[in-house]
Amino acid sequence: TASVTVTVNPNPTVTATGGTICNGNTFIITVSGANSYSWNNSLGSGSSKAISPSTTTTYQITGTDNNGCTGTASATVIVNPNPVVSLTANPSSICAGSSTTISANGSSNYSWSNTLGIGLSKTVSPTTTTTYNVTGTDNNGCTGTASTTVTVNPLPNVGAVGATICNGATATITATGATTYEWESPLGAGQSKDVTPTSTTTYSVTGTDVNGCTGTASTTVTVNALPNVGAVGATICN
């Protein structure tokens, strides 16, 4: 008789833990339970891998112990899409001194640049053309960004030319520096107006440029009184 012993070594219990990331981020998978490891997905060997999948992906790892026995494990990395954030200004072009409202869309929470803080929308009054940025964070903690530019148009430099006249005469007053003009009532619209004031009078005009921005000016028509002319007759002999 004879006997032989067959030693059965247990396979290693290989473990690996997956997780959840936002698209574009990196996750580290660490595997344990064996001495050496071989990964699928062309990842080679090693006990941990930093990965950045663009879609939800499952990774298979084979671990080998000192006895040459093997065990396998899998880890799934769930990839959540980033929110598509948009940002609009209404209106996107304003006149100096005016305000506009910029509103974000596409996420749950928003954080603004330009020290604007948080919130869905903001009312802003920039003094120069300004770009605003917002970061939106969704319920998965994933983020998306957007930007919009508010154009600030300067106010037109409106001027007006008056005149000096004699009482009873007519003067022409003319505005400059804009595209259209509106004079104080009752003069109405137009770049130039003929006026016949009976006393020195100041006239105001509002000019509007191609951007819809307005500026104002005033001019004075000085009315000089007519001289009080007299004539003295005489009595003579033929």
Side-chain angles (χ1 to χ4, degrees):
T1 63
S3 64
V4 65
T5 298
V6 177
T7 301
V8 179
N9 294 312
N11 291 320
T13 302
V14 180
T15 59
T17 303
T20 301
I21 61 172
C22 301
N23 193 6
N25 289 352
T26 298
F27 184 84
I28 298 177
I29 299 177
T30 300
V31 62
S32 62
N35 297 95
S36 62
Y37 305 94
S38 176
W39 298 68
N40 71 340
N41 301 78
S42 302
L43 293 178
S45 61
S47 60
S48 65
K49 296 290 177 181
I51 54 174
S52 302
S54 57
T55 59
T56 297
T57 304
T58 298
Y59 299 87
Q60 302 288 337
I61 307 102
T62 299
T64 303
D65 64 14
N66 290 332
N67 296 311
C69 299
T70 60
T72 60
S74 64
T76 299
V77 176
I78 298 171
V79 180
N80 290 318
N82 293 316
V84 179
V85 179
S86 61
L87 186 59
T88 57
N90 185 25
S92 61
S93 180
I94 63 173
C95 301
S98 299
S99 300
T100 187
T101 299
I102 49 178
S103 302
N105 189 40
S107 192
S108 303
N109 302 287
Y110 303 94
S111 177
W112 298 78
S113 65
N114 306 75
T115 66
L116 292 179
I118 60 175
L120 179 65
S121 62
K122 297 291 176 179
T123 299
V124 294
S125 302
T127 57
T128 60
T129 296
T130 303
T131 297
Y132 296 90
N133 300 292
V134 69
T135 298
T137 304
D138 64 14
N139 293 331
N140 295 314
C142 298
T143 60
T145 60
S147 64
T148 190
T149 298
V150 176
T151 301
V152 179
N153 296 308
L155 302 180
N157 186 19
V158 178
V161 180
T164 298
I165 60 173
C166 297
N167 194 1
T170 297
T172 299
I173 52 176
T174 302
T176 60
T179 305
T180 61
Y181 304 91
E182 184 71 26
W183 295 82
E184 63 180 273
S185 179
L187 296 181
Q191 185 174 12
S192 298
K193 293 292 175 179
D194 292 330
V195 293
T196 310
T198 57
S199 61
T200 297
T201 304
T202 298
Y203 300 90
S204 297
V205 63
T206 298
T208 304
D209 64 15
V210 293
N211 296 311
C213 300
T214 60
T216 59
S218 62
T219 189
T220 298
V221 175
T222 301
V223 179
N224 293 319
L226 299 178
N228 188 16
V229 179
V232 179
T235 301
I236 63 172
C237 296
N238 190 357

